[in-house]
Amino acid sequence: MKFLFDSDTWQEIYGSIRKNKLRTFITILGVWWGIFLLVALLGAARGMENGFSKLFGNFATNSVFMWTQSTDTPFKGFQKGRRFNLTFNDIEVLKSEFKDEIKLLAPRNQTSNLIIHNFKSGNFQVSGDYPVLDQIQKKKLLYGRFLNKNDISDEAKVTVISEEMYKQLFDKDVNPIGAQIKINSISYKVIGVYQVGNIGIDGDTAYIPFTTFQRVYNRANKIDWMMITANDGIDIKQMEKDILLTLKNLHKVHPEDNRAFGSVNLGEQIGKFTGFLKGIQFLTWFVGIATLIAGVFAIGNILLITVKERTKEIGIRRAIGATPIEIRRQVILESVFLTTIAGMLGIFFGALVLFFVDKFFGQGDDAALVNPTVNIPIILLAFLILIVLGTLIGLIPAFMATIIKPIEALREE
């Protein structure tokens, strides 16, 4: 290791670089671009992933939404075009038959009504729900709380409204908790105000207890739709197929009727996007490593030219006692030095670009790239790969430098 601290060694490297400034700059540029591209693309891919997570942050992403439509095929005496509703019996059957697959199940009912507070009013969606909804679609509460079990059992006339509804119905800076609003001419006490998320499938909705909704709107045991979340490790696509088949059997719908039930498989859609992100990351690594290899090969070619130009100098050093291993070590060290400098510069500028991307494009609710960063272990791995490649590529010109016989090198013009 003493040769690393030998001033003569570094003076020779410096002299070689100084003699070929343009060539050295172009060489470093090639490697710099490779590591810069790798860091920037990996950071951008992470930013996209973070943005996606932020977008669906309030959802249990392995969820399925289901509702009824109208039949498309006659079956068991029923004509085509028959309409029907989901019921509590369906819920009980699903909980029993899919107890190992289903983690959360939220039956839901919805309508639209005029909502009034004092002299202010607006038409908004009203949804009858159970507290479990807050586990599937987490609400960001600004004031108060969400629905609880007591609200359900007491059939309480309470409601949780959105921030936009609060702004439209209440004066600025007025605390809405405990205030009375009228929904369909019936008074409800406001117990919470929530902020609509980036993916708010309900929009601005007033949530009231499911049991209260059933009684007020005379819905008996009818259910408009339901949200189902699967347990970890469950094939969400297969679970959706199995549940739909069970529901078709319960409601005497033809097994091949694809119009009778509507469904959205959030888990499947997110899986497609996750696959896309993995593809982007693979492509990033492929392009980055390929560019790095190209840059490192450029260093090898430059060093081969340098060795050729320094043939006489190498011959003199051999003649006065320099050993082949010393010559090889000198060339390899120059290769590693150039790749190290280029790698450090590439990492620095890549991080700088990601910083500015986050500062100017990664803020706000609509940001596409959120916190575009690269993990330190990945940076160290890329840097290690770069050093290894620089060492390996330096072996070629190092070997060429030592196969020249001193007497032949001295004759070289």
Side-chain angles (χ1 to χ4, degrees):
M1 295 294 291
K2 291 192 296 182
F3 74 95
L4 289 174
F5 304 98
D6 187 354
S7 60
D8 290 339
T9 299
W10 292 104
Q11 283 178 1
E12 290 182 15
I13 291 176
Y14 173 71
S16 174
I17 293 174
R18 187 178 59 182
K19 289 177 183 177
N20 304 285
K21 294 179 182 178
L22 179 61
R23 186 188 299 165
T24 301
F25 172 76
I26 295 174
T27 301
I28 290 178
L29 185 65
V31 179
W32 171 87
W33 177 249
I35 195 74
F36 168 81
L37 194 64
L38 181 63
V39 171
L41 290 178
L42 283 175
R46 171 61 65 84
M48 290 177 63
E49 185 176 353
N50 291 339
F52 179 74
S53 298
K54 180 180 178 181
L55 192 64
F56 287 92
N58 63 337
F59 261 101
T61 52
N62 56 333
S63 299
V64 179
F65 311 145
M66 293 183 178
W67 61 93
T68 61
Q69 299 178 147
S70 60
T71 58
D72 190 44
T73 305
F75 189 63
K76 291 188 176 181
F78 291 102
Q79 297 298 314
K80 173 183 176 180
R82 174 171 63 95
R83 290 190 173 275
F84 57 99
N85 290 98
L86 293 169
T87 66
F88 277 105
N89 179 59
D90 300 332
I91 302 300
E92 295 304 319
V93 170
L94 293 182
K95 286 182 177 180
S96 174
E97 292 193 11
F98 297 91
K99 59 183 179 181
D100 295 328
E101 290 89 352
I102 293 177
K103 179 179 181 180
L104 302 169
L105 195 157
R108 310 190 65 191
N109 276 329
Q110 290 180 327
T111 188
S112 180
N113 269 136
L114 178 68
I115 300 180
I116 303 172
H117 174 66
N118 293 336
F119 300 103
K120 297 182 178 182
S121 64
N123 278 296
F124 296 101
Q125 185 166 269
V126 179
S127 181
D129 286 292
Y130 283 94
V132 68
L133 176 68
D134 194 41
Q135 298 179 53
I136 299 177
Q137 184 185 355
K138 187 66 180 176
K139 301 299 178 186
K140 183 178 180 181
L141 291 170
L142 303 176
Y143 302 98
R145 64 174 177 85
F146 196 65
L147 304 173
N148 61 29
K149 291 182 179 179
N150 290 334
D151 299 329
I152 298 296
S153 59
D154 297 341
E155 297 183 2
K157 291 185 176 62
V158 295
T159 183
V160 181
I161 62 175
S162 72
E163 181 182 19
E164 184 59 35
M165 296 170 69
Y166 161 65
K167 291 178 179 179
Q168 188 167 330
L169 298 175
F170 291 84
D171 294 332
K172 187 177 181 181
D173 298 328
V174 171
N175 188 343
I177 303 302
Q180 295 288 327
I181 63 174
K182 287 190 174 182
I183 304 175
N184 195 27
S185 301
I186 298 175
S187 292
Y188 290 80
K189 183 172 73 173
V190 177
I191 59 172
V193 177
Y194 67 94
Q195 185 180 63
V196 177
N198 294 315
I199 299 296
I201 60 172
D202 296 334
D204 292 300
T205 297
Y207 296 101
I208 65 175
F210 190 92
T211 50
T212 305
F213 188 103
Q214 297 296 88
R215 179 164 56 86
V216 169
Y217 293 96
N218 194 28
R219 298 301 301 271
N221 70 336
K222 295 179 181 178
I223 297 170
D224 287 338
W225 61 299
M226 58 186 172
M227 300 170 67
I228 303 172
T229 299
N231 281 309
D232 296 337
I234 297 299
D235 185 342
I236 190 72
K237 191 173 182 179
Q238 184 60 48
M239 187 187 79
E240 177 190 16
K241 291 179 180 179
D242 293 341
I243 289 177
L244 286 175
L245 190 60
T246 299
L247 290 174
K248 288 177 181 179
N249 182 55
L250 288 172
H251 290 275
K252 296 180 174 57
V253 174
H254 194 284
E256 301 300 323
D257 190 333
N258 295 320
R259 200 178 72 178
F261 289 92
S263 65
V264 173
N265 193 322
L266 188 60
E268 182 182 0
Q269 300 305 318
I270 289 177
K272 291 178 181 179
F273 192 81
T274 302
F276 169 75
L277 287 178
K278 289 180 179 178
I280 290 292
Q281 290 176 341
F282 172 78
L283 182 62
T284 296
W285 274 104
F286 178 79
V287 171
I289 295 298
T291 308
L292 278 180
I293 292 174
V296 171
F297 269 108
I299 288 180
N301 290 333
I302 294 299
L303 290 177
L304 281 172
I305 296 172
T306 302
V307 167
K308 180 65 177 176
E309 292 176 346
R310 296 167 60 189
T311 299
K312 189 170 184 178
E313 174 191 333
I314 292 172
I316 294 173
R317 291 185 62 193
R318 292 287 303 279
I320 62 177
T323 62
I325 192 170
E326 290 176 336
I327 300 297
R328 287 197 295 268
R329 195 166 54 193
Q330 175 75 30
V331 177
I332 292 172
L333 183 58
E334 185 172 340
S335 173
V336 172
F337 175 74
L338 291 176
T339 54
T340 301
I341 293 297
M344 292 174 65
L345 289 173
I347 291 171
F348 172 76
F349 282 102
L352 191 64
V353 166
L354 292 178
F355 170 78
F356 283 111
V357 167
D358 182 53
K359 184 176 179 63
F360 294 105
F361 304 103
Q363 308 302 316
D365 294 335
D366 298 328
L369 298 177
V370 177
N371 191 24
T373 56
V374 184
N375 291 336
I376 296 298
I378 293 179
I379 291 291
L380 294 177
L381 175 62
F383 193 68
L384 178 63
I385 292 173
L386 185 63
I387 298 302
V388 171
L389 289 176
T391 302
L392 293 177
I393 204 66
L395 291 173
I396 300 174
F399 175 75
M400 296 299 296
T402 55
I403 63 174
I404 304 173
K405 295 181 179 180
I407 189 63
E408 294 177 358
L410 291 171
R411 291 174 181 169
E412 184 74 21
E413 293 296 333

